[in-house]
Amino acid sequence: MIAQVFAVLIFLGMFIMVISEKVERHIVTLFSGLLTLVVVFGLCMKDMGAIVRTLNIQSIFTPGFWYQAGEASESSSGINWATIIFIAGMMIMVEGMARAGFFRWLCLKIASLVHYRTIPIFITFMIMSAILAMFIDSITVILFLAAVTVELAQLLKFDPIPMILSEIFCANLGGSATMCGDPPNIIIGTSLGYSFSDFIMNTGLMAGISLIVIIVYFYLVFHKELRASTGAKVEKYPNASEAITDKKAFAVSTLIFLCAVVMLVTHAQTGLTVAFIGTFIAIITLVTSAKYAVELLKKVDYKTLLFFVGLFIVVGGLEETGILEMVARLIGKISGGNLMIMIAIIIWVSAFASAFVDNIPFAATMIPIIESLSVENHVGLEVLAWALSMGTDIGGSATPIGASANVVGTSVAAKEGYPVGWGRYCKKMAPATVLVCLISMIIMFARYC
Protein backbone atom coordinates (compact mmCIF):
# COMPACT_ATOMS: atom_id res chain seq x y z
CA MET A 1 0.00 0.00 0.00
CA ILE A 2 2.77 2.45 0.94
CA ALA A 3 4.57 1.70 -2.35
CA GLN A 4 1.40 2.51 -4.30
CA VAL A 5 1.00 5.82 -2.47
CA PHE A 6 4.56 6.90 -3.24
CA ALA A 7 4.30 5.71 -6.87
CA VAL A 8 1.17 7.86 -7.38
CA LEU A 9 2.66 10.88 -5.58
CA ILE A 10 5.83 10.73 -7.69
CA PHE A 11 3.77 10.40 -10.88
CA LEU A 12 1.48 13.33 -10.00
CA GLY A 13 4.42 15.46 -8.94
CA MET A 14 6.16 14.71 -12.23
CA PHE A 15 3.08 15.65 -14.23
CA ILE A 16 2.59 18.93 -12.36
CA MET A 17 6.24 19.90 -12.83
CA VAL A 18 6.17 19.01 -16.55
CA ILE A 19 3.03 21.11 -17.07
CA SER A 20 4.43 24.07 -15.10
CA GLU A 21 7.54 24.12 -17.34
CA LYS A 22 9.55 25.71 -14.50
CA VAL A 23 12.19 22.99 -14.74
CA GLU A 24 13.30 21.32 -17.99
CA ARG A 25 11.12 18.27 -18.49
CA HIS A 26 13.95 15.77 -18.93
CA ILE A 27 15.36 16.77 -15.53
CA VAL A 28 11.90 16.33 -13.99
CA THR A 29 11.35 12.83 -15.39
CA LEU A 30 14.89 11.63 -14.64
CA PHE A 31 14.65 12.81 -11.02
CA SER A 32 11.18 11.26 -10.73
CA GLY A 33 12.52 8.03 -12.22
CA LEU A 34 15.37 7.99 -9.69
CA LEU A 35 12.87 8.51 -6.86
CA THR A 36 10.81 5.60 -8.19
CA LEU A 37 13.82 3.27 -8.26
CA VAL A 38 15.07 4.25 -4.79
CA VAL A 39 11.89 4.95 -2.81
CA VAL A 40 9.22 2.76 -4.45
CA PHE A 41 11.27 -0.26 -5.53
CA GLY A 42 14.16 -0.02 -3.05
CA LEU A 43 12.82 1.26 0.29
CA CYS A 44 9.12 0.33 0.03
CA MET A 45 9.07 -2.88 -2.03
CA LYS A 46 12.66 -4.03 -1.44
CA ASP A 47 12.40 -5.70 -4.84
CA MET A 48 15.52 -5.76 -7.03
CA GLY A 49 13.56 -7.71 -9.64
CA ALA A 50 11.25 -4.71 -10.14
CA ILE A 51 14.27 -2.50 -10.77
CA VAL A 52 15.72 -4.94 -13.31
CA ARG A 53 12.35 -5.32 -15.10
CA THR A 54 11.82 -1.55 -15.22
CA LEU A 55 15.31 -0.68 -16.46
CA ASN A 56 14.79 -3.45 -19.05
CA ILE A 57 18.40 -3.25 -20.27
CA GLN A 58 18.56 -6.99 -20.88
CA SER A 59 15.99 -6.73 -23.69
CA ILE A 60 18.49 -4.88 -25.90
CA PHE A 61 20.75 -7.95 -25.97
CA THR A 62 18.04 -10.38 -27.08
CA PRO A 63 17.64 -11.38 -30.77
CA GLY A 64 13.95 -10.47 -30.67
CA PHE A 65 14.81 -6.84 -29.97
CA TRP A 66 16.39 -6.53 -33.42
CA TYR A 67 14.61 -9.21 -35.45
CA GLN A 68 11.23 -10.90 -34.97
CA ALA A 69 10.29 -13.77 -37.26
CA GLY A 70 6.87 -14.32 -35.66
CA GLU A 71 4.25 -12.26 -33.91
CA ALA A 72 6.29 -11.60 -30.79
CA SER A 73 6.13 -8.09 -29.43
CA GLU A 74 8.29 -5.93 -27.24
CA SER A 75 7.39 -5.99 -23.58
CA SER A 76 5.64 -2.83 -22.47
CA SER A 77 7.12 -3.17 -18.98
CA GLY A 78 9.73 -0.57 -18.02
CA ILE A 79 11.90 1.45 -20.38
CA ASN A 80 10.93 0.91 -24.00
CA TRP A 81 14.39 1.02 -25.55
CA ALA A 82 13.02 0.29 -29.02
CA THR A 83 11.12 3.58 -28.97
CA ILE A 84 14.16 5.55 -27.79
CA ILE A 85 16.56 3.99 -30.31
CA PHE A 86 14.14 4.44 -33.22
CA ILE A 87 13.47 8.11 -32.41
CA ALA A 88 17.21 8.78 -32.06
CA GLY A 89 17.87 7.20 -35.47
CA MET A 90 15.13 9.23 -37.16
CA MET A 91 16.43 12.42 -35.53
CA ILE A 92 19.84 11.85 -37.12
CA MET A 93 18.27 11.17 -40.53
CA VAL A 94 16.10 14.31 -40.34
CA GLU A 95 19.06 16.48 -39.36
CA GLY A 96 20.91 15.17 -42.43
CA MET A 97 17.94 16.04 -44.66
CA ALA A 98 17.62 19.49 -43.13
CA ARG A 99 21.32 20.27 -43.60
CA ALA A 100 21.00 19.45 -47.31
CA GLY A 101 18.04 21.86 -47.67
CA PHE A 102 15.46 19.14 -48.41
CA PHE A 103 12.51 20.65 -46.52
CA ARG A 104 12.83 24.23 -47.75
CA TRP A 105 13.30 22.97 -51.31
CA LEU A 106 10.13 20.87 -51.04
CA CYS A 107 8.04 23.76 -49.71
CA LEU A 108 9.20 26.22 -52.37
CA LYS A 109 8.87 23.61 -55.13
CA ILE A 110 5.23 22.95 -54.28
CA ALA A 111 4.52 26.68 -54.00
CA SER A 112 5.97 27.20 -57.46
CA LEU A 113 3.92 24.33 -58.92
CA VAL A 114 0.70 26.12 -57.87
CA HIS A 115 2.10 29.41 -59.25
CA TYR A 116 2.32 31.03 -55.80
CA ARG A 117 -1.47 31.41 -55.49
CA THR A 118 -2.56 31.75 -51.87
CA ILE A 119 -5.53 29.34 -51.69
CA PRO A 120 -3.78 26.52 -53.63
CA ILE A 121 -0.70 26.97 -51.38
CA PHE A 122 -3.00 26.80 -48.34
CA ILE A 123 -4.53 23.49 -49.47
CA THR A 124 -1.33 21.84 -50.76
CA PHE A 125 0.64 22.81 -47.64
CA MET A 126 -2.01 21.16 -45.45
CA ILE A 127 -1.76 17.95 -47.49
CA MET A 128 2.05 18.12 -47.50
CA SER A 129 2.08 18.66 -43.73
CA ALA A 130 -0.04 15.55 -43.17
CA ILE A 131 1.98 13.37 -45.56
CA LEU A 132 5.40 14.42 -44.22
CA ALA A 133 4.23 13.93 -40.62
CA MET A 134 3.39 10.31 -41.44
CA PHE A 135 7.13 9.59 -41.63
CA ILE A 136 8.94 12.52 -40.02
CA ASP A 137 8.58 14.04 -36.56
CA SER A 138 5.84 16.70 -36.65
CA ILE A 139 8.12 19.21 -34.88
CA THR A 140 10.54 19.15 -37.82
CA VAL A 141 7.69 19.33 -40.33
CA ILE A 142 6.16 22.41 -38.71
CA LEU A 143 9.49 24.09 -38.05
CA PHE A 144 10.26 24.27 -41.77
CA LEU A 145 6.69 24.66 -43.03
CA ALA A 146 5.96 27.58 -40.70
CA ALA A 147 9.21 29.33 -41.61
CA VAL A 148 8.53 29.02 -45.37
CA THR A 149 4.86 30.01 -44.84
CA VAL A 150 5.95 33.25 -43.14
CA GLU A 151 8.41 33.89 -45.98
CA LEU A 152 5.67 33.39 -48.60
CA ALA A 153 3.20 35.46 -46.55
CA GLN A 154 5.56 38.43 -46.51
CA LEU A 155 6.16 38.00 -50.26
CA LEU A 156 2.50 37.55 -51.26
CA LYS A 157 1.05 39.86 -48.55
CA PHE A 158 -1.27 37.51 -46.67
CA ASP A 159 -1.74 36.67 -42.98
CA PRO A 160 0.28 33.48 -42.30
CA ILE A 161 -1.53 32.52 -39.07
CA PRO A 162 -4.51 30.71 -40.71
CA MET A 163 -2.09 28.68 -42.83
CA ILE A 164 0.22 27.86 -39.90
CA LEU A 165 -2.70 26.76 -37.71
CA SER A 166 -3.99 24.51 -40.48
CA GLU A 167 -0.51 23.03 -41.02
CA ILE A 168 -0.17 22.31 -37.28
CA PHE A 169 -3.47 20.45 -37.16
CA CYS A 170 -2.74 18.45 -40.31
CA ALA A 171 0.73 17.51 -39.01
CA ASN A 172 -0.82 16.09 -35.83
CA LEU A 173 -3.49 14.34 -37.92
CA GLY A 174 -0.93 12.90 -40.35
CA GLY A 175 1.16 11.70 -37.41
CA SER A 176 -1.78 9.63 -36.17
CA ALA A 177 -1.87 7.65 -39.43
CA THR A 178 1.34 5.65 -39.01
CA MET A 179 3.39 3.94 -36.35
CA CYS A 180 6.33 6.31 -36.81
CA GLY A 181 4.33 9.52 -37.24
CA ASP A 182 3.89 10.54 -33.62
CA PRO A 183 5.73 9.50 -30.41
CA PRO A 184 2.55 8.03 -28.81
CA ASN A 185 2.15 5.77 -31.84
CA ILE A 186 5.78 4.66 -31.67
CA ILE A 187 5.24 3.75 -28.01
CA ILE A 188 1.98 1.93 -28.78
CA GLY A 189 3.45 0.07 -31.75
CA THR A 190 6.68 -1.04 -30.09
CA SER A 191 4.95 -1.93 -26.81
CA LEU A 192 2.10 -3.94 -28.30
CA GLY A 193 3.85 -5.33 -31.38
CA TYR A 194 1.82 -3.60 -34.11
CA SER A 195 3.34 -2.98 -37.51
CA PHE A 196 3.38 0.01 -39.84
CA SER A 197 0.68 -1.62 -41.97
CA ASP A 198 -1.49 -2.28 -38.89
CA PHE A 199 -1.59 1.46 -38.21
CA ILE A 200 -2.15 2.38 -41.85
CA MET A 201 -5.15 0.02 -42.11
CA ASN A 202 -6.71 1.33 -38.90
CA THR A 203 -5.67 4.78 -37.68
CA GLY A 204 -4.56 5.58 -41.24
CA LEU A 205 -8.09 5.05 -42.54
CA MET A 206 -9.54 7.31 -39.84
CA ALA A 207 -6.89 9.96 -40.45
CA GLY A 208 -7.44 9.85 -44.23
CA ILE A 209 -11.19 10.36 -43.97
CA SER A 210 -10.70 13.05 -41.32
CA LEU A 211 -8.12 14.89 -43.47
CA ILE A 212 -10.67 15.38 -46.27
CA VAL A 213 -13.19 16.78 -43.80
CA ILE A 214 -10.57 18.97 -42.10
CA ILE A 215 -9.37 20.51 -45.38
CA VAL A 216 -12.96 21.50 -46.13
CA TYR A 217 -13.39 22.78 -42.55
CA PHE A 218 -10.30 24.99 -42.61
CA TYR A 219 -11.13 26.26 -46.09
CA LEU A 220 -14.58 27.36 -44.90
CA VAL A 221 -13.11 28.89 -41.74
CA PHE A 222 -10.13 30.72 -43.28
CA HIS A 223 -10.77 31.31 -46.99
CA LYS A 224 -12.12 34.86 -46.47
CA GLU A 225 -9.03 35.88 -44.50
CA LEU A 226 -6.71 34.44 -47.14
CA ARG A 227 -8.60 35.94 -50.06
CA ALA A 228 -8.40 39.34 -48.35
CA SER A 229 -4.67 39.50 -49.15
CA THR A 230 -3.61 42.45 -51.27
CA GLY A 231 -2.31 40.26 -54.08
CA ALA A 232 0.49 42.71 -54.78
CA LYS A 233 2.52 42.03 -57.89
CA VAL A 234 5.76 40.21 -57.13
CA GLU A 235 8.75 40.91 -59.33
CA LYS A 236 10.77 37.82 -58.37
CA TYR A 237 9.69 34.59 -56.71
CA PRO A 238 12.15 32.51 -54.65
CA ASN A 239 13.91 29.77 -56.60
CA ALA A 240 13.41 26.32 -55.07
CA SER A 241 16.75 25.03 -56.37
CA GLU A 242 18.59 27.70 -54.37
CA ALA A 243 17.36 26.04 -51.18
CA ILE A 244 19.61 23.02 -51.86
CA THR A 245 22.83 23.69 -49.98
CA ASP A 246 24.63 20.50 -51.07
CA LYS A 247 23.41 18.61 -54.16
CA LYS A 248 25.24 15.38 -53.32
CA ALA A 249 24.01 15.41 -49.71
CA PHE A 250 20.51 16.26 -50.96
CA ALA A 251 20.43 13.21 -53.25
CA VAL A 252 21.88 10.89 -50.60
CA SER A 253 19.53 12.09 -47.83
CA THR A 254 16.52 11.67 -50.15
CA LEU A 255 17.56 8.07 -50.90
CA ILE A 256 18.03 7.35 -47.19
CA PHE A 257 14.59 8.76 -46.43
CA LEU A 258 13.00 6.58 -49.13
CA CYS A 259 14.92 3.60 -47.76
CA ALA A 260 13.54 4.31 -44.27
CA VAL A 261 9.99 4.50 -45.64
CA VAL A 262 10.37 1.16 -47.48
CA MET A 263 11.84 -0.54 -44.40
CA LEU A 264 9.04 0.76 -42.18
CA VAL A 265 6.29 -0.24 -44.60
CA THR A 266 7.70 -3.76 -44.98
CA HIS A 267 9.04 -4.42 -41.47
CA ALA A 268 6.16 -6.78 -40.64
CA GLN A 269 7.17 -8.94 -43.60
CA THR A 270 10.95 -8.67 -43.15
CA GLY A 271 10.88 -9.13 -39.38
CA LEU A 272 13.17 -6.14 -38.87
CA THR A 273 12.16 -4.25 -35.73
CA VAL A 274 11.94 -0.46 -35.50
CA ALA A 275 15.00 -0.55 -33.23
CA PHE A 276 16.98 -2.17 -36.05
CA ILE A 277 15.58 0.26 -38.63
CA GLY A 278 16.41 3.31 -36.48
CA THR A 279 19.95 2.07 -35.87
CA PHE A 280 20.54 1.20 -39.53
CA ILE A 281 19.24 4.56 -40.80
CA ALA A 282 21.37 6.44 -38.27
CA ILE A 283 24.53 4.54 -39.23
CA ILE A 284 23.94 5.01 -42.98
CA THR A 285 23.32 8.74 -42.48
CA LEU A 286 26.48 9.18 -40.42
CA VAL A 287 28.63 7.12 -42.82
CA THR A 288 27.43 8.99 -45.93
CA SER A 289 27.82 12.32 -44.12
CA ALA A 290 31.11 11.48 -42.42
CA LYS A 291 32.36 15.05 -42.85
CA TYR A 292 29.39 16.36 -40.85
CA ALA A 293 28.82 13.32 -38.58
CA VAL A 294 29.85 15.11 -35.39
CA GLU A 295 27.65 18.08 -36.27
CA LEU A 296 24.65 15.79 -36.85
CA LEU A 297 25.23 13.95 -33.57
CA LYS A 298 25.40 17.27 -31.70
CA LYS A 299 22.01 18.31 -33.09
CA VAL A 300 20.21 15.20 -31.80
CA ASP A 301 17.64 16.18 -29.17
CA TYR A 302 19.17 14.22 -26.29
CA LYS A 303 16.91 15.98 -23.79
CA THR A 304 13.85 14.38 -25.37
CA LEU A 305 15.49 10.94 -25.28
CA LEU A 306 16.35 11.37 -21.59
CA PHE A 307 12.79 12.55 -20.98
CA PHE A 308 11.58 9.22 -22.35
CA VAL A 309 13.94 7.23 -20.09
CA GLY A 310 12.71 8.92 -16.90
CA LEU A 311 9.09 8.75 -18.01
CA PHE A 312 9.15 5.01 -18.67
CA ILE A 313 10.66 4.37 -15.21
CA VAL A 314 7.91 6.36 -13.45
CA VAL A 315 5.18 4.59 -15.43
CA GLY A 316 6.92 1.33 -14.58
CA GLY A 317 6.47 2.23 -10.92
CA LEU A 318 2.70 2.54 -11.42
CA GLU A 319 2.66 -0.78 -13.27
CA GLU A 320 4.77 -2.73 -10.76
CA THR A 321 2.65 -1.50 -7.82
CA GLY A 322 -0.64 -2.46 -9.50
CA ILE A 323 -2.02 1.09 -9.82
CA LEU A 324 -2.60 0.84 -13.57
CA GLU A 325 -4.46 -2.44 -13.18
CA MET A 326 -6.78 -0.75 -10.64
CA VAL A 327 -7.48 2.08 -13.12
CA ALA A 328 -8.26 -0.49 -15.83
CA ARG A 329 -10.74 -2.23 -13.53
CA LEU A 330 -12.43 1.10 -12.79
CA ILE A 331 -12.86 1.87 -16.51
CA GLY A 332 -14.15 -1.66 -17.07
CA LYS A 333 -16.64 -1.22 -14.23
CA ILE A 334 -17.89 2.13 -15.55
CA SER A 335 -18.28 0.75 -19.07
CA GLY A 336 -19.90 -2.46 -17.86
CA GLY A 337 -17.68 -4.36 -20.30
CA ASN A 338 -19.35 -2.61 -23.25
CA LEU A 339 -16.79 -2.09 -26.05
CA MET A 340 -18.54 1.00 -27.44
CA ILE A 341 -18.42 2.73 -24.07
CA MET A 342 -14.76 1.75 -23.63
CA ILE A 343 -13.89 3.23 -27.04
CA ALA A 344 -15.75 6.46 -26.22
CA ILE A 345 -14.09 6.78 -22.80
CA ILE A 346 -10.58 6.16 -24.15
CA ILE A 347 -10.93 8.53 -27.13
CA TRP A 348 -12.48 11.46 -25.27
CA VAL A 349 -10.50 11.13 -22.01
CA SER A 350 -7.27 10.80 -24.05
CA ALA A 351 -8.19 13.79 -26.22
CA PHE A 352 -9.14 16.01 -23.24
CA ALA A 353 -6.02 15.05 -21.26
CA SER A 354 -3.73 15.52 -24.27
CA ALA A 355 -5.10 19.02 -24.86
CA PHE A 356 -3.50 20.16 -21.60
CA VAL A 357 -0.73 17.69 -20.74
CA ASP A 358 2.00 16.05 -22.78
CA ASN A 359 0.46 13.19 -24.75
CA ILE A 360 3.64 11.09 -24.54
CA PRO A 361 3.48 10.30 -20.79
CA PHE A 362 -0.28 9.90 -21.06
CA ALA A 363 0.05 7.30 -23.83
CA ALA A 364 2.81 5.46 -21.96
CA THR A 365 0.61 5.38 -18.86
CA MET A 366 -2.45 4.15 -20.72
CA ILE A 367 -0.84 1.18 -22.52
CA PRO A 368 -0.79 -1.17 -19.50
CA ILE A 369 -4.31 0.03 -18.67
CA ILE A 370 -5.76 -0.97 -22.04
CA GLU A 371 -3.88 -4.28 -21.84
CA SER A 372 -5.62 -5.04 -18.54
CA LEU A 373 -8.95 -3.83 -19.94
CA SER A 374 -8.60 -6.18 -22.90
CA VAL A 375 -7.83 -9.23 -20.74
CA GLU A 376 -10.44 -8.62 -18.05
CA ASN A 377 -13.30 -7.73 -20.42
CA HIS A 378 -12.39 -10.07 -23.30
CA VAL A 379 -12.24 -7.32 -25.92
CA GLY A 380 -9.73 -6.87 -28.74
CA LEU A 381 -6.60 -5.06 -27.54
CA GLU A 382 -6.01 -3.59 -31.01
CA VAL A 383 -9.36 -1.76 -30.93
CA LEU A 384 -8.48 -0.06 -27.65
CA ALA A 385 -5.01 0.73 -29.03
CA TRP A 386 -6.46 2.56 -32.06
CA ALA A 387 -8.81 4.54 -29.78
CA LEU A 388 -5.85 5.54 -27.59
CA SER A 389 -3.79 6.50 -30.63
CA MET A 390 -6.42 8.77 -32.15
CA GLY A 391 -7.35 10.37 -28.83
CA THR A 392 -3.79 11.22 -27.79
CA ASP A 393 -2.59 12.29 -31.25
CA ILE A 394 -5.57 14.49 -32.12
CA GLY A 395 -6.45 15.83 -28.67
CA GLY A 396 -3.16 17.68 -28.49
CA SER A 397 -4.24 19.93 -31.39
CA ALA A 398 -6.94 21.68 -29.33
CA THR A 399 -4.69 24.08 -27.40
CA PRO A 400 -1.39 25.90 -28.06
CA ILE A 401 0.39 23.70 -25.48
CA GLY A 402 -1.22 20.35 -26.29
CA ALA A 403 1.51 19.08 -28.62
CA SER A 404 5.11 20.01 -29.42
CA ALA A 405 4.20 20.92 -33.01
CA ASN A 406 1.72 23.51 -31.70
CA VAL A 407 4.35 25.17 -29.51
CA VAL A 408 6.90 25.23 -32.35
CA GLY A 409 4.46 26.57 -34.96
CA THR A 410 3.07 29.37 -32.81
CA SER A 411 6.59 30.25 -31.61
CA VAL A 412 7.86 30.63 -35.19
CA ALA A 413 4.87 32.85 -36.02
CA ALA A 414 5.36 35.01 -32.91
CA LYS A 415 9.09 35.37 -33.56
CA GLU A 416 8.30 36.75 -37.03
CA GLY A 417 5.78 39.26 -35.66
CA TYR A 418 2.57 37.21 -35.90
CA PRO A 419 1.59 36.28 -32.30
CA VAL A 420 -1.22 33.76 -31.84
CA GLY A 421 -3.27 34.12 -28.65
CA TRP A 422 -5.10 31.30 -26.88
CA GLY A 423 -8.45 32.76 -27.96
CA ARG A 424 -7.73 32.84 -31.67
CA TYR A 425 -6.02 29.45 -31.55
CA CYS A 426 -8.70 27.55 -29.63
CA LYS A 427 -11.58 29.18 -31.49
CA LYS A 428 -10.48 27.50 -34.72
CA MET A 429 -8.60 24.41 -33.53
CA ALA A 430 -10.81 23.09 -30.70
CA PRO A 431 -13.86 22.54 -32.98
CA ALA A 432 -11.60 20.77 -35.52
CA THR A 433 -10.31 18.51 -32.73
CA VAL A 434 -13.84 17.63 -31.60
CA LEU A 435 -14.82 16.97 -35.21
CA VAL A 436 -11.98 14.49 -35.82
CA CYS A 437 -12.54 12.71 -32.49
CA LEU A 438 -16.22 12.37 -33.37
CA ILE A 439 -15.41 11.01 -36.85
CA SER A 440 -12.91 8.55 -35.36
CA MET A 441 -15.42 7.33 -32.77
CA ILE A 442 -18.16 6.80 -35.37
CA ILE A 443 -15.78 4.90 -37.67
CA MET A 444 -14.65 2.70 -34.77
CA PHE A 445 -18.25 1.99 -33.74
CA ALA A 446 -19.15 1.03 -37.30
CA ARG A 447 -16.04 -1.07 -37.91
CA TYR A 448 -15.32 -2.83 -34.64
CA CYS A 449 -18.54 -2.97 -32.60
Side-chain angles (χ1 to χ4, degrees):
M1 180 65 182
I2 190 72
Q4 292 178 331
V5 171
F6 275 108
V8 171
L9 288 175
I10 291 170
F11 177 77
L12 292 176
M14 179 194 74
F15 243 120
I16 291 169
M17 289 299 293
V18 169
I19 295 169
S20 69
E21 298 183 342
K22 291 183 179 179
V23 181
E24 289 191 85
R25 64 179 192 169
H26 71 287
I27 295 176
V28 173
T29 61
L30 286 174
F31 180 72
S32 301
L34 181 61
L35 281 179
T36 299
L37 294 174
V38 175
V39 177
V40 178
F41 297 151
L43 299 178
C44 298
M45 295 175 64
K46 296 180 174 62
D47 186 354
M48 282 299 297
I51 296 176
V52 172
R53 287 192 298 272
T54 301
L55 292 178
N56 201 26
I57 295 173
Q58 70 281 359
S59 67
I60 300 175
F61 303 99
T62 60
F65 185 83
W66 305 100
Y67 176 78
Q68 293 176 354
E71 295 296 321
S73 65
E74 277 297 312
S75 170
S76 63
S77 177
I79 300 175
N80 191 327
W81 292 108
T83 294
I84 294 169
I85 291 172
F86 175 71
I87 290 176
M90 295 301 282
M91 282 179 177
I92 292 172
M93 180 193 74
V94 166
E95 288 299 335
M97 295 173 71
R99 197 194 67 79
F102 176 86
F103 299 107
R104 189 166 185 272
W105 168 83
L106 183 62
C107 293
L108 293 177
K109 188 66 177 178
I110 289 178
S112 67
L113 289 174
V114 295
H115 306 293
Y116 293 95
R117 290 175 294 168
T118 306
I119 295 298
I121 290 175
F122 174 65
I123 294 172
T124 53
F125 272 34
M126 278 195 286
I127 296 172
M128 179 170 62
S129 178
I131 292 174
L132 283 176
M134 290 171 65
F135 306 99
I136 299 173
D137 179 58
S138 59
I139 298 173
T140 301
V141 173
I142 291 302
L143 189 63
F144 286 93
L145 263 180
V148 175
T149 298
V150 170
E151 179 183 344
L152 291 173
Q154 293 171 344
L155 181 72
L156 304 175
K157 310 300 180 186
F158 66 82
D159 182 0
I161 291 178
M163 204 173 289
I164 290 175
L165 293 182
S166 304
E167 291 161 1
I168 289 171
F169 194 94
C170 288
N172 290 331
L173 182 58
S176 71
T178 66
M179 191 184 79
C180 61
D182 227 15
N185 286 14
I186 299 173
I187 296 172
I188 292 169
T190 54
S191 297
L192 304 180
Y194 297 132
S195 68
F196 188 93
S197 58
D198 289 332
F199 276 89
I200 282 287
M201 296 301 293
N202 292 279
T203 59
L205 175 65
M206 290 183 271
I209 294 172
S210 299
L211 179 62
I212 296 170
V213 175
I214 284 302
I215 289 174
V216 174
Y217 166 82
F218 280 126
Y219 174 78
L220 294 174
V221 168
F222 288 132
H223 76 280
K224 289 184 179 179
E225 294 180 51
L226 293 171
R227 288 188 188 281
S229 59
T230 59
K233 186 178 180 180
V234 179
E235 292 184 4
K236 183 181 180 182
Y237 293 107
N239 190 339
S241 61
E242 294 176 358
I244 302 174
T245 58
D246 185 329
K247 290 184 178 180
K248 182 181 177 181
F250 178 87
V252 171
S253 63
T254 302
L255 285 174
I256 292 173
F257 172 64
L258 294 175
C259 179
V261 172
V262 171
M263 292 178 74
L264 286 166
V265 171
T266 61
H267 81 97
Q269 289 73 39
T270 62
L272 300 176
T273 65
V274 292
F276 178 91
I277 295 170
T279 304
F280 177 79
I281 291 300
I283 292 172
I284 291 297
T285 301
L286 293 173
V287 169
T288 56
S289 306
K291 186 178 177 181
Y292 306 98
V294 175
E295 178 187 337
L296 296 180
L297 287 171
K298 285 181 178 179
K299 288 187 176 182
V300 171
D301 188 356
Y302 294 104
K303 291 181 179 180
T304 294
L305 301 179
L306 291 173
F307 165 76
F308 274 110
V309 171
L311 165 66
F312 283 130
I313 293 174
V314 175
V315 173
L318 296 177
E319 188 173 5
E320 290 286 343
T321 55
I323 294 296
L324 299 183
E325 189 175 342
M326 292 168 59
V327 174
R329 287 175 182 169
L330 178 62
I331 295 175
K333 186 176 181 180
I334 293 172
S335 65
N338 186 296
L339 181 57
M340 292 180 72
I341 298 177
M342 285 185 203
I343 289 172
I345 290 174
I346 292 171
I347 285 181
W348 292 105
V349 169
S350 300
F352 181 80
S354 297
F356 299 99
V357 301
D358 197 314
N359 60 4
I360 297 170
F362 185 83
T365 307
M366 284 295 294
I367 287 171
I369 292 177
I370 64 172
E371 285 183 303
S372 296
L373 266 176
S374 172
V375 172
E376 293 186 13
N377 296 278
H378 307 290
V379 297
L381 176 59
E382 68 280 358
V383 179
L384 304 182
W386 309 143
L388 176 62
S389 172
M390 294 305 294
T392 52
D393 292 339
I394 302 305
S397 299
T399 65
I401 62 170
S404 300
N406 312 8
V407 177
V408 169
T410 52
S411 297
V412 171
K415 186 178 178 181
E416 296 295 333
Y418 302 95
V420 184
W422 268 69
R424 184 176 184 183
Y425 183 99
C426 295
K427 185 178 179 181
K428 308 298 184 182
M429 302 287 268
T433 303
V434 172
L435 184 60
V436 173
C437 286
L438 189 60
I439 291 171
S440 301
M441 186 178 70
I442 292 171
I443 292 174
M444 293 196 72
F445 284 172
R447 190 174 181 185
Y448 306 116
C449 299

